[in-house]
Amino acid sequence: MSDFSSPLRRARGLGSAQDGTHHWWIQRVTAIALVPLVIWFIMLVVSLGGASYDAATATLSQPLNGILMILLVTGTFYHASLGFQVVLEDYVSHEWGRKLSIIAVNLFCIAGAVACYYSILKIGLGGS
């Protein structure tokens, strides 16, 4: 039995989900936002070189440093999840494997970010 469908009809549903451009832009925005945050973080780590634990926690408990650290963690994990999603979409051919991998990466990134938030807030609020 021959298929009399037009090429356009056969291709419907197989093309772009109209989400790629937005994803690409968000990746670029997070990368640009991370540049000053990473520079700040490197300067912070260098300034704390040789400092005691108490000095380091006192520095991180300052509101500006805590806020910048939360922004760094948020941007880093979000940017990482976007990047891993692109790689998984490109290289995992089985649909269910791809979807499960993307879900696993997103859950890992959320768990990592929450663990970092907990640590930052514990230091910032004076917990030991």
Side-chain angles (χ1 to χ4, degrees), residues 99-111:
K99 286 181 181 181
L100 289 175
S101 298
I102 291 171
I103 290 169
V105 164
N106 286 335
L107 290 175
F108 175 78
C109 287
I110 290 169

Side-chain angles (χ1 to χ4, degrees), residues 11-18:
R12 274 203 211 284
L14 301 176
S16 170
Q18 304 299 323

Side-chain angles (χ1 to χ4, degrees), residues 53 57 121-128:
Y53 174 79
T57 55
L121 291 174
K122 188 167 183 172
I123 291 171
L125 298 175
S128 53

Side-chain angles (χ1 to χ4, degrees), residues 1 4 12 20 37 48 54 58 64 103 114-115:
M1 185 168 172
F4 293 110
R12 274 203 211 284
L37 291 169
L48 290 173
D54 292 333
L64 179 62
I103 290 169
V114 168

Side-chain angles (χ1 to χ4, degrees), residues 2 4-5 10 13 16 19 32 36-37 45 50 60 64-65 67 72 79 87-88 93-95 99 104 112-113 122 126:
S2 63
F4 293 110
S5 302
R10 284 191 301 269
S16 170
D19 191 39
I32 291 168
L37 291 169
V45 169
L60 286 175
L64 179 62
N65 289 332
I67 290 168
L72 176 66
H79 184 75
V87 170
L88 292 169
S93 59
H94 191 267
E95 183 179 356
K99 286 181 181 181
K122 188 167 183 172

Side-chain angles (χ1 to χ4, degrees), residues 38-116:
V38 169
I39 292 170
W40 163 81
F41 182 71
I42 291 169
M43 291 182 351
L44 180 71
V45 169
V46 168
S47 72
L48 290 173
S52 68
Y53 174 79
D54 292 333
T57 55
T59 300
L60 286 175
S61 66
Q62 296 172 358
L64 179 62
N65 289 332
I67 290 168
L68 290 175
M69 189 66 76
I70 287 172
L71 290 173
L72 176 66
V73 166
T74 303
T76 300
F77 278 105
Y78 187 54
H79 184 75
S81 72
L82 292 172
F84 279 121
Q85 181 179 342
V86 170
V87 170
L88 292 169
E89 287 171 347
D90 287 346
Y91 294 106
V92 178
S93 59
H94 191 267
E95 183 179 356
W96 282 103
R98 181 175 50 249
K99 286 181 181 181
L100 289 175
S101 298
I102 291 171
I103 290 169
V105 164
N106 286 335
L107 290 175
F108 175 78
C109 287
I110 290 169
V114 168
C116 290

